[in-house]
Each structure stands twice: as structure tokens, then as C-alpha cells.
Amino acid sequence: MEKYISVMETAERWKISPRRVQVLCNENRILGAKKQSGVWFIPCGAKKPEKIKSGVKCENKKTLNVLSLFSGCGGMDLGFEGGFSVLKQSVNPTIHKDWKIKKDGDNWVKLPKNMYHTVFANDIKPEAKAAWNNYFGKRGLDKSCYYLDSIVDLVKLQKENKINIFPEDVDIVTGGFPCQDFSVAGKRLGFESDKGHNGKKIDINAPTVENRGHLYMWMREVIAITKPKLFIAENVKGLTNLKDVKEIIENDFSSVCNGGYLVVPARVLNAARYGVPQGRERVIFFGFKKSELTQEALEKLSADRIDDEFDPYPIPTHYLEKNNKSDNEMPFVTVRQAFVDLQEPEQSIDISQQKYSKAKYMGKHCQGQQEVRLDGIGPTIRSEHHGNIEFRRLSREHGGEYVEELDNGMKERRLTIRECARIQTFPDNYEFVIPKKEDDVSVSASEAYKIIGNAVPPLLAFHIAKRLEENWNRYFGR
């Protein structure tokens, strides 16, 4: 009868970390390994697999490991990794002269690769995982680092089974904890959410701390386990005017590791101020590990007003109104600019441009029944689209303003998947409508809308990542 040993015993025998053993198990590279109740068991006689190629890392720089929570399809992850294309109008070369931008055709530029490397990601939506794997796998990231599990279950699995789910040597933890319960577009139940950590209706007897409105507390648990130098949490602007929610969350984050983290006052960032063609406002929390900060950084970040050079929040690069702009800022990026070179769905070979919601016009009293303003800022791309994604073009009958397009035979239709992705600043080589592949599910157009709407705009995340990269030695020394 085959004898089995634990992950810990295997790690000691092969002189590698327990986390590495788990990765090899998830990749099916250990012959005969089996999983029971979430725990891997390895045959006693199993041989250590040969080395596999690691993920793409930044050359000639220290690499900082990023643990990503509530990752979705990876908007935040892409921003931290860098190395993707955006509209040339989205980058302000005067303010960011130090960014090593490369021209990528007439209308695009490629952002540089950053010093961060994603070592862990998770979400409960299989479609988000499928899209993440499809894109980041091609960039060289290890697909087995994406866990399709609730953060609550992962934390419990590590604590109760005393096995390493979360990797060691984590420098940064990021997480856009679920926002539906704080959004002005939702029921605004906040901490009293009626949804559980797995997205399903909560059992009346389930622990309150496991409801969707309290999932930031489980992000806090991961921070306590991994003890990163820095964490970044993101949520909707609506959180800031829902009772005293922002202050409660700041205090809860500050108390992690017995008060070991300095949480600077949260701030709302409008993505349009950073070259994103969308009026998307998000509140950002930064937490710094006090014991890792230099004495000067600790003092500066603790001040009532943080000096500009130590401020972790990125500098705005685009203005929304001419009479309210700072020096060197560029005008906001318009929807028309974002849609450059896009063909109509019938002519496009890009399946994400071919697909769009066929939901009929329901009247202006309903959400999402307006057409986009081509020369304005794009609408906030939402995560739940039950027929309410905005129109690219309305008919005359429904008040459409783009009569020239209508006269040229272009029909009333809603925004395509690719148009939503452009508004969010995802690059065109990110596929969203995907057939089933290996162990991943297929991604339909309906699900694509949702995972795009759930994401942090990659360009906004890039600004956050780059600001921290520039200040890293200032915060933590050399």
C-alpha cells in the first residue's frame, strides 16, 4: 500500500519551501500526489521534478513580490507589472520625464516594466481566473499562483491545517475588497451585507465577520500572516460617505500586528486625472510596516500633512476643467480618443469588439440608457450589467446625437466588450471572450462585461505602482 507524506515533510526532504511543493502539486508535476479536504499528500517515493521557468521579472532591478487579493482579471496586477500599451494621450511626458516610454504605433505608447512580480492571486469567479490565466500566462507568470477560492477559506485553510497557502517573502499586498455593499449604485448595506464571502446569499446563522461587507478584515488577516512592508487596499468612493466606514477601516488596518502598521489617511482618486478616459473615483488605503520604515519616513508619513516628496499618492497628470488645472497637466482623455482605430463590430476581426449586449433601449429613466459622449469622459464601467451597459450610439427615435453616423448606416447599439476594455485602459492584446481551455472555464460576453467592470483601471494602478517604486528607497532605505 502506497505511503504518503505531508507537504512539510516533502519540503524538508527536497530542500525547498512548502509553498513550492504546493505549486508543483497544483501543476500536476508530482506523480501520484493527491488532495484531500484541501490538503496535499505526496507519495513517499515521489521524485523532485526538474526546475521550471519562473515568471518574467524586471531586469537590473530589485524585484518586489506582490500578493494580490480579490484579483479579478488583474487590473491592479497589470498596473504593478507594467509593460503594456496605452494611448499616447494618456501619458504626460512633461510630468513623467523619467518614465521610459516606447512608441507603439501612431496612437499608442508602451509603458515600462516595473520592479514588481506577482506571486499570488485569488478570486471566487472562475471567469476572472480564466481571463487572468489566459493573459498573464502568456507574459510568463505562473498560472498556478492563482487560487479560485474565497479569501476566508484560504485563511482558514492555512491557520487550521498549518500549511503555507500564502507565499513567504511578500513585499506588498494589494486588494480591491468587494465594493457592492458600499457603492451608491447598490443597496449600501455596508458592514450589514446580506452576501457571504463566496458571493452567495448569507445564512442567517453565519458569522457576521464572514459577510461580504467585512472581507477587508480577511485581507487584514493575510497582512498579519505575510507581514509585507506595504499594503494597498481599494474600494469605491461611496465608502467615504457611508456613516464612519472609512475611519473604521483605517483603524482596523492600523491595528494589524498589534499596531505594527501606519495607515495614512485614505484618499479618493479620480482615474480621469491620470489619463484614464473614464470618470471612475476610487478610495485608496496605504499601510506601511512601521518597523521597516526609515526614521525619517516614519516621521514624515505620521505628520498631519505629508510632505510632497513622501506622499504615496500619485501626482495627477490630466485636468478635467481648464480653470482648475495645475502646471503641466494635460486635458482629460476623451472617449473618441479611446476608440481610435476601432472598427464597427461587423467589420472587426477582434471577437471582443464583435460582441456587445443586445438588450433593448428601456427609456432614460433606467440606468445605462444613455449614449456615451464621444468628446467627454467615459462612464464608469460597472460590474453588474443586466442590460444596462451604456449605448455607443442611440437611434434618432431614442434621442441619438450622432446623426452623421446614423446617416452612414451605423445602427443603434451598446458598447462592445473591447470598447469597455479601452475605457478601462486594458490593452488590446488582453482577450476577454475566451473558449474553454484546459482546467479553465470559457468566458462569455456577459461575464466579460462583469470582470472588466470589476477591475481597477490598469493605468491608474500603474501610477500607484510607479509612485511607490520611485519612493521605495525613501520609505525603506537601501
Side-chain angles (χ1 to χ4, degrees):
M1 184 176 177
E2 182 74 80
K3 290 185 177 180
Y4 291 86
I5 57 177
S6 69
V7 167
M8 293 293 291
E9 291 171 310
T10 304
E12 290 174 8
R13 179 179 292 185
W14 290 350
K15 293 182 170 52
I16 59 177
S17 70
R19 166 67 180 161
R20 188 64 193 147
V21 176
Q22 291 171 328
V23 168
L24 293 171
C25 288
N26 286 326
E27 291 177 337
N28 296 319
R29 302 190 75 233
I30 301 178
L31 190 64
K34 63 181 182 179
K35 197 174 190 181
Q36 292 183 345
S37 301
V39 180
W40 282 104
F41 294 93
I42 292 89
C44 197
K47 293 183 179 180
K48 178 182 176 182
E50 294 181 8
K51 275 190 175 183
I52 61 173
K53 184 180 178 183
S54 61
V56 176
K57 295 189 178 182
C58 194
E59 296 179 359
N60 303 321
K61 289 182 182 178
K62 170 181 168 56
T63 300
L64 299 173
N65 291 331
V66 179
L67 185 153
S68 167
L69 302 174
F70 314 107
S71 312
C73 65
M76 182 74 87
D77 306 337
L78 180 52
F80 269 76
E81 291 275 340
F84 61 100
S85 294
V86 296
L87 284 166
K88 65 180 181 182
Q89 294 95 337
S90 289
V91 178
N92 190 323
T94 303
I95 291 178
H96 291 299
K97 296 175 182 176
D98 55 325
W99 288 6
K100 296 180 180 178
I101 304 297
K102 293 182 180 178
K103 187 176 179 182
D104 187 17
D106 293 335
N107 300 302
W108 304 88
V109 292
K110 190 166 186 179
L111 299 173
K113 181 77 176 69
N114 289 329
M115 64 196 292
Y116 310 99
H117 178 60
T118 307
V119 295
F120 181 98
N122 95 290
D123 206 272
I124 60 172
K125 286 186 71 67
E127 294 82 8
K129 177 177 182 283
W132 194 100
N133 280 346
N134 185 64
Y135 178 76
F136 287 99
K138 293 172 183 175
R139 289 174 57 108
L141 291 185
D142 184 354
K143 294 192 286 186
S144 69
C145 79
Y146 197 112
Y147 281 70
L148 187 63
D149 295 281
S150 156
I151 190 64
V152 175
D153 293 335
L154 291 173
V155 169
K156 286 181 176 180
L157 188 60
Q158 170 138 344
K159 286 188 168 183
E160 293 170 7
N161 292 281
K162 297 197 169 36
I163 58 174
N164 291 334
I165 298 295
F166 302 104
E168 300 171 357
D169 238 1
V170 170
D171 296 293
I172 299 175
V173 169
T174 67
F177 55 95
C179 63
Q180 296 96 322
D181 301 299
F182 303 111
S183 173
V184 293
K187 298 178 182 178
R188 311 216 75 194
L189 296 176
F191 296 140
E192 307 304 319
S193 175
D194 58 359
K195 292 291 182 70
H197 60 89
N198 55 7
K200 298 177 181 177
K201 191 81 172 177
I202 200 165
D203 186 319
I204 194 170
N205 298 312
T208 304
V209 76
E210 292 185 13
N211 77 29
R212 191 172 59 185
H214 280 83
L215 285 183
Y216 77 92
M217 289 294 285
W218 294 86
M219 178 176 177
R220 181 182 177 279
E221 288 286 326
V222 177
I223 293 166
I225 291 169
T226 58
K227 299 177 175 60
K229 292 182 176 69
L230 172 71
F231 69 82
I232 304 134
E234 175 266 348
N235 210 279
V236 293
K237 177 187 177 183
L239 176 149
T240 63
N241 52 37
L242 185 62
K243 297 180 182 178
D244 50 357
V245 168
K246 181 176 82 73
E247 289 73 22
I248 290 172
I249 292 176
E250 286 175 343
N251 290 334
D252 285 338
F253 276 138
S254 296
S255 66
V256 70
C257 295
N258 297 315
Y261 282 82
L262 169 63
V263 178
V264 300
R267 194 180 301 172
V268 174
L269 302 182
N270 187 336
R273 297 291 311 279
Y274 299 92
V276 178
Q278 178 184 188
R280 192 182 192 93
E281 295 182 293
R282 289 295 183 267
V283 60
I284 305 294
F285 299 83
F286 285 109
F288 296 84
K289 190 176 182 183
K290 293 178 183 177
S291 62
E292 295 284 355
L293 289 170
T294 66
Q295 186 59 38
E296 182 183 17
L298 182 60
E299 291 172 2
K300 296 288 187 182
L301 291 169
S302 301
D304 291 336
R305 185 192 176 282
I306 301 173
D307 288 352
D308 290 344
E309 63 176 346
F310 281 87
D311 191 349
Y313 292 96
I315 302 165
T317 56
H318 293 68
Y319 65 82
L320 305 184
E321 300 173 356
K322 281 187 178 180
N323 59 359
N324 190 24
K325 75 181 192 108
S326 300
D327 292 342
N328 300 321
E329 286 186 350
M330 295 170 57
F332 64 81
V333 180
T334 68
V335 174
R336 190 186 300 277
Q337 290 169 323
F339 291 171
V340 65
D341 296 334
L342 281 182
Q343 296 176 305
E344 283 297 293
E346 297 78 13
Q347 284 81 48
S348 179
I349 60 172
D350 175 8
I351 192 168
S352 291
Q353 177 62 6
Q354 295 171 2
K355 299 289 186 179
Y356 60 91
S357 168
K358 303 302 192 299
K360 302 298 183 183
Y361 178 73
M362 296 180 287
K364 290 190 177 180
H365 61 284
C366 298
Q367 188 182 52
Q369 306 309 302
Q370 300 79 29
E371 64 184 2
V372 294
R373 294 183 298 117
L374 290 180
D375 295 313
I377 298 171
T380 298
I381 304 301
R382 298 178 298 278
S383 61
E384 295 294 340
H385 284 298
H386 308 288
N388 64 0
I389 181 66
E390 280 78 6
F391 280 83
R392 164 61 181 83
R393 182 186 309 110
L394 284 170
S395 65
R396 276 190 177 86
E397 177 189 357
H398 295 145
E401 296 182 4
Y402 303 119
V403 293
E404 187 176 336
E405 292 183 346
L406 296 171
D407 289 342
N408 286 330
M410 297 183 185
K411 61 185 181 182
E412 176 177 286
R413 66 167 176 83
R414 294 179 185 266
L415 292 171
T416 66
I417 302 300
R418 179 61 63 204
E419 287 165 346
C420 289
R422 285 273 188 101
I423 289 173
Q424 278 277 61
T425 66
F426 279 98
D428 283 356
N429 64 344
Y430 196 122
E431 300 170 52
F432 287 100
V433 183
I434 309 169
K436 178 174 171 51
K437 294 182 179 180
E438 300 173 350
D439 295 330
D440 288 324
V441 300
S442 62
V443 184
S444 67
S446 176
E447 290 299 328
Y449 276 132
K450 293 175 184 178
I451 61 176
I452 292 170
N454 259 327
V456 175
L459 180 56
L460 176 60
F462 182 87
H463 275 270
I464 293 170
K466 206 67 179 170
R467 177 65 174 171
L468 294 173
E469 182 179 287
E470 292 162 358
N471 275 1
W472 194 263
N473 291 340
R474 184 172 282 129
Y475 294 143
F476 303 109
R478 293 184 181 276

